[in-house]
Every structure is written in structure tokens, then in C-alpha cells.
Amino acid sequence: AQSVTQPDIHITVSEGASLELRCNYSYGATPYLFWYVQSPGQGLQLLLKYFSGDTLVQGIKGFEAEFKRSQSSFNLRKPSVHWSDAAEYFCAVVTTSGGSYIPTFGRGTSLIVHP
Amino acid sequence: ETGVTQSPTHLIKTRGQQVTLRCSSQSGHNTVSWYQQALGQGPQFIFQYYREEENGRGNFPPRFSGLQFPNYSSELNVNALELDDSALYLCASSPDSWATEAFFGQGTRLTVV
């Protein structure tokens, strides 16, 4: 069965600093990879996704992520964090099973931004 | 604004009762999926429906069931509620499958006492 690991429960950065959130997955093939963001009291919003092709993908709000097959990783990055980026970030993998797409989420990383 | 609405926003139920949560998807979205998000955890996939048929299920017992209707609305039913069922329940809709993009509602906070 597939699994997703987000090793950092909390990350604290200063506004304007760079950010990297880690995500590792376990699956026999290359899954579809997603990053979602959840603000307090809100649903999840898609930041970016990787299906195939260029391993560096660009998303909304200035985020990017890089797929590294050799490391089974899909880390999320942002060069300069804004206070409004404080939220919960979830990595998800989507795999196929019997013709269906099955999503598995990591437990999330809480981003705290200091002014 | 994702165009996916869930009702009610909050709900308190007693252990052993049954509950029905509702989701209204975007028009034209043929896939709806449901998730349980416990406090401090990521969403856990319960099941998904494609054109009114269940076509994927996570590791949840049969007392979790669902329906999808032709008008792009759906329901999650939970029987014999347990205290551990207390969580945020999210639904998400997609135009065809999860391979494109899932649009999430804001969730229903269920508390079982």
C-alpha cells in the first residue's frame, strides 16, 4: 500500500525567508503527486500537481515543487514566504487501483510565519 | 471559492446515532470523494463515487456509506456513531477523476458525545 510521509509537523520561518516542506512517498511506481494548503476553518486548495514530464512544477502563490524519483520525494519550496502563507500544508499521492484513483494524504506540516 | 458546499457546518450527535452529511458539487463534476480528517491529521480517504457508482474505497467499515445523485449532490451516511468518528468530514469533487484536480468543500465538523 502507498504511504506519504511529511517528516516535519511544524516549521517556523521568518517573513521573507525561503521555505522547503518535505514529502516522501512509498509506492512501487510513480504516482500522481499533489500539494494542498488548508487555512484555518477552510477546505483544501490545490497548490500544484505532478503527473509526468518536467520534474520541477510551478504552482499558485509562488510555490514550486520538485519530483525526485531516486529519493521518492516531492518537496515544496517558496523563495520568499509571506505572512499569509501561514497554514497547514498537505502532500498527497494518487495511485490507481482497479481502475480507480485512490488518494493518500500525509499528516501535514503546519507553517508558522514570524514577522 | 471552490463551488463545493457542505452542510451542515457543525453537528453534534450521540454515540450510537446515525448521521447524514451532505455535499453539493460543482455542476458537471462526475466524481465526488469523501474524507475524514481527525484533529492534527491529514484527510483520510473514505470512498468516492463516479456517476452515482462507488468506484474506490479506503479502509473504513461498512457503517460508512454514501450516495451520489444525478444533480451533483451527494451524501455520507454513518451508522452506529462512535466517539472516534468525531472529525472534520470533507468532500471533494472533480470533473472526471482525481487525476485532474479535486475541489474541496469547507467541511462538516462532527462531534460525537
Side-chain angles (χ1 to χ4, degrees):
Chain A
Q2 66 274 17
S3 65
V4 180
T5 302
Q6 293 181 246
D8 304 304
I9 297 175
H10 302 283
I11 281 192
T12 301
V13 299
S14 297
E15 192 169 14
S18 63
L19 171 71
E20 182 170 34
L21 303 182
R22 295 183 291 166
C23 173
N24 293 93
Y25 66 90
S26 173
Y27 183 58
T30 299
Y32 300 127
L33 297 158
F34 299 76
W35 274 99
Y36 278 85
V37 62
Q38 185 178 35
S39 298
Q42 302 293 315
L44 278 69
Q45 182 185 20
L46 178 69
L47 288 175
L48 46 77
K49 59 188 176 186
Y50 173 79
F51 289 170
S52 64
D54 192 348
T55 56
L56 185 64
V57 293
Q58 302 297 319
I60 63 170
K61 305 185 179 186
F63 286 93
E64 66 177 27
E66 185 172 13
F67 168 59
K68 292 186 177 179
R69 186 190 309 274
S70 61
Q71 299 176 17
S72 296
S73 69
F74 188 56
N75 293 348
L76 181 71
R77 300 194 293 247
K78 186 169 185 177
S80 178
V81 170
H82 188 263
W83 64 267
S84 60
D85 293 325
E88 193 82 19
Y89 290 80
F90 294 97
C91 179
V93 302
V94 174
T95 58
T96 55
S97 174
S100 303
Y101 293 93
I102 306 297
T104 303
F105 284 83
R107 64 171 297 164
T109 298
S110 178
L111 175 63
I112 300 163
V113 181
H114 281 317
Chain B
E1 196 62 47
T2 64
V4 179
T5 57
Q6 293 186 242
S7 62
T9 53
H10 296 83
L11 198 54
I12 299 175
K13 288 290 203 178
T14 303
R15 187 173 49 183
Q17 284 188 314
Q18 179 265 342
V19 68
T20 297
L21 309 182
R22 294 180 172 82
C23 174
S24 177
S25 304
Q26 286 192 34
S27 179
H29 282 196
N30 294 309
T31 297
V32 65
S33 48
W34 284 89
Y35 304 83
Q36 181 193 69
Q37 186 178 18
L39 208 56
Q41 301 294 319
Q44 277 199 283
F45 173 70
I46 302 175
F47 48 58
Q48 71 183 10
Y49 281 77
Y50 176 72
R51 292 186 173 177
E52 302 163 50
E53 301 249 345
E54 184 180 299
N55 78 336
R57 190 175 183 94
N59 190 26
F60 280 80
R63 60 189 185 85
F64 286 79
S65 64
L67 286 170
Q68 185 186 24
F69 302 102
N71 65 351
Y72 304 108
S73 66
S74 63
E75 291 180 354
L76 165 65
N77 299 290
V78 187
N79 294 323
L81 283 167
E82 301 176 0
L83 297 179
D84 285 349
D85 295 333
S86 295
L88 180 68
Y89 288 85
L90 297 163
C91 79
S93 72
S94 306
D96 45 22
S97 72
W98 236 98
T100 51
E101 177 178 347
F103 295 84
F104 282 81
Q106 293 188 317
T108 293
R109 173 72 62 187
L110 173 65
T111 302
V112 182
V113 297

mmCIF file of all heavy atoms in Angstrom, chain B residues 8-54:
data_model
loop_
_atom_site.group_PDB
_atom_site.id
_atom_site.type_symbol
_atom_site.label_atom_id
_atom_site.label_comp_id
_atom_site.label_asym_id
_atom_site.label_seq_id
_atom_site.Cartn_x
_atom_site.Cartn_y
_atom_site.Cartn_z
ATOM 1 N N PRO B 8 -24.474 20.079 7.292
ATOM 2 C CA PRO B 8 -24.291 21.360 7.985
ATOM 3 C C PRO B 8 -22.804 21.641 8.207
ATOM 4 O O PRO B 8 -21.964 20.822 7.884
ATOM 5 C CB PRO B 8 -25.008 21.110 9.315
ATOM 6 C CG PRO B 8 -24.800 19.643 9.569
ATOM 7 C CD PRO B 8 -24.832 18.980 8.210
ATOM 8 N N THR B 9 -22.487 22.792 8.756
ATOM 9 C CA THR B 9 -21.087 23.117 9.034
ATOM 10 C C THR B 9 -20.633 22.482 10.335
ATOM 11 O O THR B 9 -19.468 22.089 10.465
ATOM 12 C CB THR B 9 -20.868 24.634 9.102
ATOM 13 O OG1 THR B 9 -21.799 25.178 10.037
ATOM 14 C CG2 THR B 9 -21.092 25.271 7.747
ATOM 15 N N HIS B 10 -21.537 22.384 11.291
ATOM 16 C CA HIS B 10 -21.230 21.748 12.567
ATOM 17 C C HIS B 10 -22.404 20.865 12.974
ATOM 18 O O HIS B 10 -23.560 21.166 12.656
ATOM 19 C CB HIS B 10 -21.002 22.781 13.684
ATOM 20 C CG HIS B 10 -19.826 23.652 13.472
ATOM 21 N ND1 HIS B 10 -19.860 24.771 12.681
ATOM 22 C CD2 HIS B 10 -18.552 23.564 13.943
ATOM 23 C CE1 HIS B 10 -18.670 25.352 12.685
ATOM 24 N NE2 HIS B 10 -17.861 24.640 13.431
ATOM 25 N N LEU B 11 -22.075 19.800 13.702
ATOM 26 C CA LEU B 11 -23.097 18.843 14.100
ATOM 27 C C LEU B 11 -22.640 18.124 15.358
ATOM 28 O O LEU B 11 -21.472 17.732 15.452
ATOM 29 C CB LEU B 11 -23.272 17.834 12.963
ATOM 30 C CG LEU B 11 -24.504 16.959 12.877
ATOM 31 C CD1 LEU B 11 -25.775 17.784 12.917
ATOM 32 C CD2 LEU B 11 -24.445 16.153 11.593
ATOM 33 N N ILE B 12 -23.558 17.966 16.300
ATOM 34 C CA ILE B 12 -23.259 17.178 17.500
ATOM 35 C C ILE B 12 -24.243 16.012 17.557
ATOM 36 O O ILE B 12 -25.459 16.213 17.446
ATOM 37 C CB ILE B 12 -23.377 18.030 18.780
ATOM 38 C CG1 ILE B 12 -22.385 19.192 18.724
ATOM 39 C CG2 ILE B 12 -23.122 17.172 20.020
ATOM 40 C CD1 ILE B 12 -22.501 20.163 19.890
ATOM 41 N N LYS B 13 -23.696 14.816 17.711
ATOM 42 C CA LYS B 13 -24.510 13.604 17.769
ATOM 43 C C LYS B 13 -24.096 12.784 18.983
ATOM 44 O O LYS B 13 -22.998 12.930 19.511
ATOM 45 C CB LYS B 13 -24.323 12.769 16.500
ATOM 46 C CG LYS B 13 -24.963 13.368 15.262
ATOM 47 C CD LYS B 13 -26.470 13.306 15.352
ATOM 48 C CE LYS B 13 -27.136 13.351 14.022
ATOM 49 N NZ LYS B 13 -28.605 13.245 14.137
ATOM 50 N N THR B 14 -24.997 11.885 19.363
ATOM 51 C CA THR B 14 -24.741 10.991 20.481
ATOM 52 C C THR B 14 -24.257 9.650 19.960
ATOM 53 O O THR B 14 -24.695 9.192 18.891
ATOM 54 C CB THR B 14 -26.020 10.805 21.309
ATOM 55 O OG1 THR B 14 -26.477 12.092 21.748
ATOM 56 C CG2 THR B 14 -25.770 9.910 22.513
ATOM 57 N N ARG B 15 -23.369 9.039 20.698
ATOM 58 C CA ARG B 15 -22.858 7.712 20.341
ATOM 59 C C ARG B 15 -24.015 6.757 20.067
ATOM 60 O O ARG B 15 -24.999 6.715 20.820
ATOM 61 C CB ARG B 15 -21.997 7.190 21.484
ATOM 62 C CG ARG B 15 -21.262 5.908 21.179
ATOM 63 C CD ARG B 15 -20.311 5.541 22.287
ATOM 64 N NE ARG B 15 -20.930 5.594 23.601
ATOM 65 C CZ ARG B 15 -20.297 5.379 24.734
ATOM 66 N NH1 ARG B 15 -19.004 5.137 24.736
ATOM 67 N NH2 ARG B 15 -20.925 5.427 25.886
ATOM 68 N N GLY B 16 -23.890 5.998 18.968
ATOM 69 C CA GLY B 16 -24.923 5.047 18.582
ATOM 70 C C GLY B 16 -25.923 5.602 17.573
ATOM 71 O O GLY B 16 -26.615 4.814 16.900
ATOM 72 N N GLN B 17 -25.984 6.914 17.450
ATOM 73 C CA GLN B 17 -26.906 7.508 16.481
ATOM 74 C C GLN B 17 -26.378 7.384 15.061
ATOM 75 O O GLN B 17 -25.258 6.923 14.817
ATOM 76 C CB GLN B 17 -27.127 8.998 16.812
ATOM 77 C CG GLN B 17 -28.043 9.252 17.990
ATOM 78 C CD GLN B 17 -28.364 10.727 18.134
ATOM 79 O OE1 GLN B 17 -27.476 11.593 18.058
ATOM 80 N NE2 GLN B 17 -29.632 11.040 18.373
ATOM 81 N N GLN B 18 -27.203 7.812 14.120
ATOM 82 C CA GLN B 18 -26.849 7.827 12.710
ATOM 83 C C GLN B 18 -26.771 9.274 12.248
ATOM 84 O O GLN B 18 -27.455 10.146 12.787
ATOM 85 C CB GLN B 18 -27.905 7.059 11.911
ATOM 86 C CG GLN B 18 -27.674 7.004 10.427
ATOM 87 C CD GLN B 18 -28.418 8.103 9.666
ATOM 88 O OE1 GLN B 18 -29.350 8.707 10.180
ATOM 89 N NE2 GLN B 18 -27.993 8.363 8.451
ATOM 90 N N VAL B 19 -25.925 9.555 11.249
ATOM 91 C CA VAL B 19 -25.803 10.924 10.752
ATOM 92 C C VAL B 19 -25.706 10.907 9.225
ATOM 93 O O VAL B 19 -25.172 9.953 8.633
ATOM 94 C CB VAL B 19 -24.562 11.624 11.363
ATOM 95 C CG1 VAL B 19 -23.265 11.003 10.848
ATOM 96 C CG2 VAL B 19 -24.585 13.111 11.088
ATOM 97 N N THR B 20 -26.232 11.951 8.612
ATOM 98 C CA THR B 20 -26.117 12.146 7.164
ATOM 99 C C THR B 20 -25.512 13.510 6.904
ATOM 100 O O THR B 20 -26.015 14.523 7.384
ATOM 101 C CB THR B 20 -27.489 12.057 6.472
ATOM 102 O OG1 THR B 20 -28.023 10.746 6.658
ATOM 103 C CG2 THR B 20 -27.338 12.323 4.974
ATOM 104 N N LEU B 21 -24.408 13.508 6.181
ATOM 105 C CA LEU B 21 -23.748 14.747 5.794
ATOM 106 C C LEU B 21 -23.951 14.940 4.298
ATOM 107 O O LEU B 21 -23.951 13.977 3.530
ATOM 108 C CB LEU B 21 -22.242 14.677 6.119
ATOM 109 C CG LEU B 21 -21.885 14.247 7.544
ATOM 110 C CD1 LEU B 21 -20.367 14.264 7.727
ATOM 111 C CD2 LEU B 21 -22.574 15.106 8.570
ATOM 112 N N ARG B 22 -24.070 16.204 3.884
ATOM 113 C CA ARG B 22 -24.409 16.492 2.503
ATOM 114 C C ARG B 22 -23.350 17.352 1.816
ATOM 115 O O ARG B 22 -22.693 18.176 2.453
ATOM 116 C CB ARG B 22 -25.776 17.140 2.413
ATOM 117 C CG ARG B 22 -26.903 16.192 2.830
ATOM 118 C CD ARG B 22 -28.274 16.797 2.747
ATOM 119 N NE ARG B 22 -29.292 15.777 2.966
ATOM 120 C CZ ARG B 22 -29.696 15.344 4.153
ATOM 121 N NH1 ARG B 22 -29.169 15.869 5.258
ATOM 122 N NH2 ARG B 22 -30.613 14.406 4.256
ATOM 123 N N CYS B 23 -23.254 17.147 0.516
ATOM 124 C CA CYS B 23 -22.270 17.853 -0.281
ATOM 125 C C CYS B 23 -22.898 18.208 -1.620
ATOM 126 O O CYS B 23 -23.548 17.364 -2.248
ATOM 127 C CB CYS B 23 -21.041 16.967 -0.479
ATOM 128 S SG CYS B 23 -19.787 17.621 -1.600
ATOM 129 N N SER B 24 -22.701 19.435 -2.038
ATOM 130 C CA SER B 24 -23.171 19.849 -3.352
ATOM 131 C C SER B 24 -21.955 20.180 -4.199
ATOM 132 O O SER B 24 -21.182 21.091 -3.875
ATOM 133 C CB SER B 24 -24.073 21.074 -3.220
ATOM 134 O OG SER B 24 -24.487 21.523 -4.489
ATOM 135 N N SER B 25 -21.759 19.412 -5.259
ATOM 136 C CA SER B 25 -20.574 19.559 -6.102
ATOM 137 C C SER B 25 -20.809 20.614 -7.171
ATOM 138 O O SER B 25 -21.925 21.073 -7.390
ATOM 139 C CB SER B 25 -20.245 18.232 -6.787
ATOM 140 O OG SER B 25 -20.081 17.202 -5.870
ATOM 141 N N GLN B 26 -19.716 20.940 -7.837
ATOM 142 C CA GLN B 26 -19.824 21.812 -8.998
ATOM 143 C C GLN B 26 -20.585 21.087 -10.106
ATOM 144 O O GLN B 26 -20.425 19.878 -10.301
ATOM 145 C CB GLN B 26 -18.432 22.185 -9.529
ATOM 146 C CG GLN B 26 -17.678 23.189 -8.696
ATOM 147 C CD GLN B 26 -16.454 23.715 -9.424
ATOM 148 O OE1 GLN B 26 -16.461 23.865 -10.645
ATOM 149 N NE2 GLN B 26 -15.400 24.007 -8.681
ATOM 150 N N SER B 27 -21.377 21.838 -10.843
ATOM 151 C CA SER B 27 -22.101 21.253 -11.968
ATOM 152 C C SER B 27 -21.100 20.682 -12.974
ATOM 153 O O SER B 27 -20.085 21.314 -13.286
ATOM 154 C CB SER B 27 -22.946 22.332 -12.635
ATOM 155 O OG SER B 27 -23.630 21.799 -13.748
ATOM 156 N N GLY B 28 -21.385 19.472 -13.434
ATOM 157 C CA GLY B 28 -20.504 18.846 -14.411
ATOM 158 C C GLY B 28 -19.415 17.990 -13.809
ATOM 159 O O GLY B 28 -18.711 17.283 -14.543
ATOM 160 N N HIS B 29 -19.269 18.035 -12.481
ATOM 161 C CA HIS B 29 -18.248 17.213 -11.826
ATOM 162 C C HIS B 29 -18.839 15.830 -11.544
ATOM 163 O O HIS B 29 -19.715 15.677 -10.699
ATOM 164 C CB HIS B 29 -17.777 17.873 -10.530
ATOM 165 C CG HIS B 29 -16.829 18.984 -10.751
ATOM 166 N ND1 HIS B 29 -16.031 19.495 -9.731
ATOM 167 C CD2 HIS B 29 -16.510 19.692 -11.859
ATOM 168 C CE1 HIS B 29 -15.275 20.468 -10.223
ATOM 169 N NE2 HIS B 29 -15.559 20.606 -11.505
ATOM 170 N N ASN B 30 -18.284 14.833 -12.226
ATOM 171 C CA ASN B 30 -18.854 13.495 -12.138
ATOM 172 C C ASN B 30 -18.311 12.669 -10.981
ATOM 173 O O ASN B 30 -18.854 11.610 -10.678
ATOM 174 C CB ASN B 30 -18.599 12.745 -13.441
ATOM 175 C CG ASN B 30 -19.352 13.370 -14.602
ATOM 176 O OD1 ASN B 30 -20.547 13.600 -14.500
ATOM 177 N ND2 ASN B 30 -18.646 13.647 -15.682
ATOM 178 N N THR B 31 -17.226 13.124 -10.385
ATOM 179 C CA THR B 31 -16.606 12.372 -9.291
ATOM 180 C C THR B 31 -16.713 13.151 -7.984
ATOM 181 O O THR B 31 -16.425 14.344 -7.958
ATOM 182 C CB THR B 31 -15.117 12.094 -9.582
ATOM 183 O OG1 THR B 31 -15.015 11.281 -10.737
ATOM 184 C CG2 THR B 31 -14.455 11.376 -8.423
ATOM 185 N N VAL B 32 -17.133 12.477 -6.947
ATOM 186 C CA VAL B 32 -17.130 13.077 -5.614
ATOM 187 C C VAL B 32 -16.448 12.099 -4.665
ATOM 188 O O VAL B 32 -16.638 10.883 -4.765
ATOM 189 C CB VAL B 32 -18.555 13.414 -5.131
ATOM 190 C CG1 VAL B 32 -19.397 12.165 -4.943
ATOM 191 C CG2 VAL B 32 -18.500 14.203 -3.828
ATOM 192 N N SER B 33 -15.625 12.623 -3.796
ATOM 193 C CA SER B 33 -14.948 11.788 -2.814
ATOM 194 C C SER B 33 -15.130 12.385 -1.426
ATOM 195 O O SER B 33 -15.342 13.593 -1.286
ATOM 196 C CB SER B 33 -13.456 11.642 -3.156
ATOM 197 O OG SER B 33 -12.868 12.899 -3.445
ATOM 198 N N TRP B 34 -15.060 11.528 -0.429
ATOM 199 C CA TRP B 34 -15.270 11.938 0.965
ATOM 200 C C TRP B 34 -14.053 11.562 1.806
ATOM 201 O O TRP B 34 -13.424 10.517 1.575
ATOM 202 C CB TRP B 34 -16.508 11.249 1.532
ATOM 203 C CG TRP B 34 -17.809 11.822 1.052
ATOM 204 C CD1 TRP B 34 -18.501 11.455 -0.064
ATOM 205 C CD2 TRP B 34 -18.580 12.846 1.684
ATOM 206 N NE1 TRP B 34 -19.657 12.195 -0.165
ATOM 207 C CE2 TRP B 34 -19.729 13.052 0.895
ATOM 208 C CE3 TRP B 34 -18.414 13.612 2.845
ATOM 209 C CZ2 TRP B 34 -20.711 13.996 1.228
ATOM 210 C CZ3 TRP B 34 -19.385 14.538 3.184
ATOM 211 C CH2 TRP B 34 -20.523 14.726 2.374
ATOM 212 N N TYR B 35 -13.784 12.406 2.808
ATOM 213 C CA TYR B 35 -12.610 12.231 3.644
ATOM 214 C C TYR B 35 -12.960 12.495 5.105
ATOM 215 O O TYR B 35 -13.821 13.322 5.405
ATOM 216 C CB TYR B 35 -11.498 13.214 3.239
ATOM 217 C CG TYR B 35 -11.140 13.094 1.794
ATOM 218 C CD1 TYR B 35 -11.897 13.747 0.831
ATOM 219 C CD2 TYR B 35 -10.080 12.289 1.391
ATOM 220 C CE1 TYR B 35 -11.604 13.602 -0.502
ATOM 221 C CE2 TYR B 35 -9.782 12.150 0.056
ATOM 222 C CZ TYR B 35 -10.557 12.804 -0.882
ATOM 223 O OH TYR B 35 -10.273 12.659 -2.205
ATOM 224 N N GLN B 36 -12.246 11.811 5.972
ATOM 225 C CA GLN B 36 -12.319 12.075 7.405
ATOM 226 C C GLN B 36 -11.002 12.683 7.833
ATOM 227 O O GLN B 36 -9.939 12.109 7.566
ATOM 228 C CB GLN B 36 -12.561 10.768 8.173
ATOM 229 C CG GLN B 36 -12.680 10.949 9.677
ATOM 230 C CD GLN B 36 -12.606 9.611 10.406
ATOM 231 O OE1 GLN B 36 -11.569 8.966 10.438
ATOM 232 N NE2 GLN B 36 -13.717 9.201 10.995
ATOM 233 N N GLN B 37 -11.059 13.845 8.483
ATOM 234 C CA GLN B 37 -9.840 14.494 8.956
ATOM 235 C C GLN B 37 -9.923 14.672 10.465
ATOM 236 O O GLN B 37 -10.620 15.561 10.970
ATOM 237 C CB GLN B 37 -9.622 15.842 8.265
ATOM 238 C CG GLN B 37 -8.288 16.478 8.624
ATOM 239 C CD GLN B 37 -8.042 17.793 7.899
ATOM 240 O OE1 GLN B 37 -8.968 18.423 7.374
ATOM 241 N NE2 GLN B 37 -6.804 18.210 7.836
ATOM 242 N N ALA B 38 -9.221 13.822 11.181
ATOM 243 C CA ALA B 38 -9.151 13.954 12.633
ATOM 244 C C ALA B 38 -8.239 15.122 12.986
ATOM 245 O O ALA B 38 -7.411 15.559 12.169
ATOM 246 C CB ALA B 38 -8.617 12.655 13.241
ATOM 247 N N LEU B 39 -8.384 15.623 14.175
ATOM 248 C CA LEU B 39 -7.616 16.792 14.611
ATOM 249 C C LEU B 39 -6.121 16.519 14.506
ATOM 250 O O LEU B 39 -5.631 15.488 14.990
ATOM 251 C CB LEU B 39 -7.984 17.120 16.062
ATOM 252 C CG LEU B 39 -7.854 18.574 16.493
ATOM 253 C CD1 LEU B 39 -8.683 19.481 15.599
ATOM 254 C CD2 LEU B 39 -8.273 18.731 17.942
ATOM 255 N N GLY B 40 -5.406 17.388 13.828
ATOM 256 C CA GLY B 40 -3.960 17.246 13.709
ATOM 257 C C GLY B 40 -3.504 16.206 12.713
ATOM 258 O O GLY B 40 -2.315 15.865 12.669
ATOM 259 N N GLN B 41 -4.418 15.689 11.913
ATOM 260 C CA GLN B 41 -4.085 14.660 10.933
ATOM 261 C C GLN B 41 -4.427 15.122 9.526
ATOM 262 O O GLN B 41 -5.153 16.096 9.333
ATOM 263 C CB GLN B 41 -4.847 13.367 11.233
ATOM 264 C CG GLN B 41 -4.582 12.791 12.604
ATOM 265 C CD GLN B 41 -3.160 12.318 12.771
ATOM 266 O OE1 GLN B 41 -2.574 11.715 11.869
ATOM 267 N NE2 GLN B 41 -2.573 12.604 13.926
ATOM 268 N N GLY B 42 -3.919 14.393 8.544
ATOM 269 C CA GLY B 42 -4.308 14.642 7.179
ATOM 270 C C GLY B 42 -5.636 13.982 6.861
ATOM 271 O O GLY B 42 -6.094 13.107 7.601
ATOM 272 N N PRO B 43 -6.267 14.392 5.781
ATOM 273 C CA PRO B 43 -7.522 13.752 5.380
ATOM 274 C C PRO B 43 -7.304 12.285 5.051
ATOM 275 O O PRO B 43 -6.316 11.927 4.408
ATOM 276 C CB PRO B 43 -7.931 14.538 4.129
ATOM 277 C CG PRO B 43 -7.185 15.830 4.204
ATOM 278 C CD PRO B 43 -5.904 15.504 4.880
ATOM 279 N N GLN B 44 -8.236 11.456 5.502
ATOM 280 C CA GLN B 44 -8.208 10.031 5.168
ATOM 281 C C GLN B 44 -9.347 9.737 4.203
ATOM 282 O O GLN B 44 -10.508 10.068 4.493
ATOM 283 C CB GLN B 44 -8.363 9.189 6.427
ATOM 284 C CG GLN B 44 -7.074 8.974 7.194
ATOM 285 C CD GLN B 44 -7.204 7.771 8.127
ATOM 286 O OE1 GLN B 44 -7.820 7.864 9.171
ATOM 287 N NE2 GLN B 44 -6.650 6.649 7.730
ATOM 288 N N PHE B 45 -9.008 9.091 3.119
ATOM 289 C CA PHE B 45 -9.959 8.787 2.061
ATOM 290 C C PHE B 45 -10.971 7.753 2.544
ATOM 291 O O PHE B 45 -10.607 6.675 2.985
ATOM 292 C CB PHE B 45 -9.181 8.280 0.846
ATOM 293 C CG PHE B 45 -10.013 7.774 -0.286
ATOM 294 C CD1 PHE B 45 -10.761 8.647 -1.053
ATOM 295 C CD2 PHE B 45 -10.013 6.434 -0.610
ATOM 296 C CE1 PHE B 45 -11.509 8.175 -2.118
ATOM 297 C CE2 PHE B 45 -10.748 5.955 -1.672
ATOM 298 C CZ PHE B 45 -11.502 6.830 -2.434
ATOM 299 N N ILE B 46 -12.262 8.107 2.430
ATOM 300 C CA ILE B 46 -13.322 7.166 2.827
ATOM 301 C C ILE B 46 -13.783 6.385 1.594
ATOM 302 O O ILE B 46 -13.708 5.158 1.547
ATOM 303 C CB ILE B 46 -14.515 7.896 3.477
ATOM 304 C CG1 ILE B 46 -14.047 8.695 4.697
ATOM 305 C CG2 ILE B 46 -15.594 6.890 3.865
ATOM 306 C CD1 ILE B 46 -15.139 9.550 5.322
ATOM 307 N N PHE B 47 -14.297 7.104 0.601
ATOM 308 C CA PHE B 47 -14.699 6.486 -0.659
ATOM 309 C C PHE B 47 -14.948 7.559 -1.685
ATOM 310 O O PHE B 47 -14.945 8.748 -1.380
ATOM 311 C CB PHE B 47 -15.950 5.605 -0.518
ATOM 312 C CG PHE B 47 -17.106 6.221 0.223
ATOM 313 C CD1 PHE B 47 -17.694 7.401 -0.183
ATOM 314 C CD2 PHE B 47 -17.610 5.594 1.351
ATOM 315 C CE1 PHE B 47 -18.749 7.958 0.509
ATOM 316 C CE2 PHE B 47 -18.666 6.135 2.058
ATOM 317 C CZ PHE B 47 -19.236 7.324 1.632
ATOM 318 N N GLN B 48 -15.144 7.119 -2.934
ATOM 319 C CA GLN B 48 -15.513 8.051 -3.977
ATOM 320 C C GLN B 48 -16.551 7.442 -4.894
ATOM 321 O O GLN B 48 -16.675 6.226 -5.004
ATOM 322 C CB GLN B 48 -14.296 8.519 -4.773
ATOM 323 C CG GLN B 48 -13.671 7.499 -5.680
ATOM 324 C CD GLN B 48 -12.428 8.040 -6.356
ATOM 325 O OE1 GLN B 48 -11.918 9.118 -6.024
ATOM 326 N NE2 GLN B 48 -11.912 7.300 -7.317
ATOM 327 N N TYR B 49 -17.302 8.318 -5.528
ATOM 328 C CA TYR B 49 -18.346 7.931 -6.453
ATOM 329 C C TYR B 49 -18.088 8.584 -7.794
ATOM 330 O O TYR B 49 -17.660 9.728 -7.877
ATOM 331 C CB TYR B 49 -19.724 8.368 -5.928
ATOM 332 C CG TYR B 49 -20.267 7.463 -4.874
ATOM 333 C CD1 TYR B 49 -19.788 7.512 -3.577
ATOM 334 C CD2 TYR B 49 -21.246 6.525 -5.176
ATOM 335 C CE1 TYR B 49 -20.266 6.664 -2.600
ATOM 336 C CE2 TYR B 49 -21.735 5.669 -4.204
ATOM 337 C CZ TYR B 49 -21.238 5.744 -2.920
ATOM 338 O OH TYR B 49 -21.708 4.893 -1.964
ATOM 339 N N TYR B 50 -18.342 7.802 -8.824
ATOM 340 C CA TYR B 50 -18.255 8.312 -10.183
ATOM 341 C C TYR B 50 -19.574 8.001 -10.864
ATOM 342 O O TYR B 50 -19.945 6.830 -10.980
ATOM 343 C CB TYR B 50 -17.092 7.680 -10.940
ATOM 344 C CG TYR B 50 -16.998 8.094 -12.386
ATOM 345 C CD1 TYR B 50 -16.590 9.372 -12.725
ATOM 346 C CD2 TYR B 50 -17.332 7.201 -13.407
ATOM 347 C CE1 TYR B 50 -16.511 9.765 -14.052
ATOM 348 C CE2 TYR B 50 -17.250 7.592 -14.728
ATOM 349 C CZ TYR B 50 -16.838 8.873 -15.050
ATOM 350 O OH TYR B 50 -16.767 9.266 -16.362
ATOM 351 N N ARG B 51 -20.264 9.019 -11.271
ATOM 352 C CA ARG B 51 -21.567 8.867 -11.940
ATOM 353 C C ARG B 51 -22.454 7.906 -11.158
ATOM 354 O O ARG B 51 -22.968 6.929 -11.716
ATOM 355 C CB ARG B 51 -21.374 8.430 -13.385
ATOM 356 C CG ARG B 51 -20.724 9.519 -14.214
ATOM 357 C CD ARG B 51 -20.633 9.198 -15.690
ATOM 358 N NE ARG B 51 -20.156 10.379 -16.422
ATOM 359 C CZ ARG B 51 -19.911 10.414 -17.726
ATOM 360 N NH1 ARG B 51 -20.097 9.337 -18.454
ATOM 361 N NH2 ARG B 51 -19.470 11.517 -18.292
ATOM 362 N N GLU B 52 -22.579 8.167 -9.874
ATOM 363 C CA GLU B 52 -23.519 7.515 -8.960
ATOM 364 C C GLU B 52 -23.126 6.096 -8.562
ATOM 365 O O GLU B 52 -23.908 5.416 -7.880
ATOM 366 C CB GLU B 52 -24.941 7.525 -9.539
ATOM 367 C CG GLU B 52 -25.448 8.935 -9.821
ATOM 368 C CD GLU B 52 -26.642 8.949 -10.762
ATOM 369 O OE1 GLU B 52 -27.590 8.204 -10.494
ATOM 370 O OE2 GLU B 52 -26.601 9.682 -11.758
ATOM 371 N N GLU B 53 -21.928 5.664 -8.968
ATOM 372 C CA GLU B 53 -21.474 4.329 -8.567
ATOM 373 C C GLU B 53 -20.207 4.482 -7.729
ATOM 374 O O GLU B 53 -19.297 5.233 -8.096
ATOM 375 C CB GLU B 53 -21.154 3.476 -9.792
ATOM 376 C CG GLU B 53 -22.303 3.287 -10.734
ATOM 377 C CD GLU B 53 -22.808 1.858 -10.730
ATOM 378 O OE1 GLU B 53 -22.099 0.973 -10.212
ATOM 379 O OE2 GLU B 53 -23.900 1.619 -11.222
ATOM 380 N N GLU B 54 -20.125 3.715 -6.624
ATOM 381 C CA GLU B 54 -18.899 3.736 -5.828
ATOM 382 C C GLU B 54 -17.790 3.081 -6.635
ATOM 383 O O GLU B 54 -17.939 1.963 -7.130
ATOM 384 C CB GLU B 54 -19.102 2.983 -4.509
ATOM 385 C CG GLU B 54 -17.879 3.068 -3.592
ATOM 386 C CD GLU B 54 -18.079 2.315 -2.281
ATOM 387 O OE1 GLU B 54 -18.985 2.655 -1.513
ATOM 388 O OE2 GLU B 54 -17.277 1.386 -2.026
#
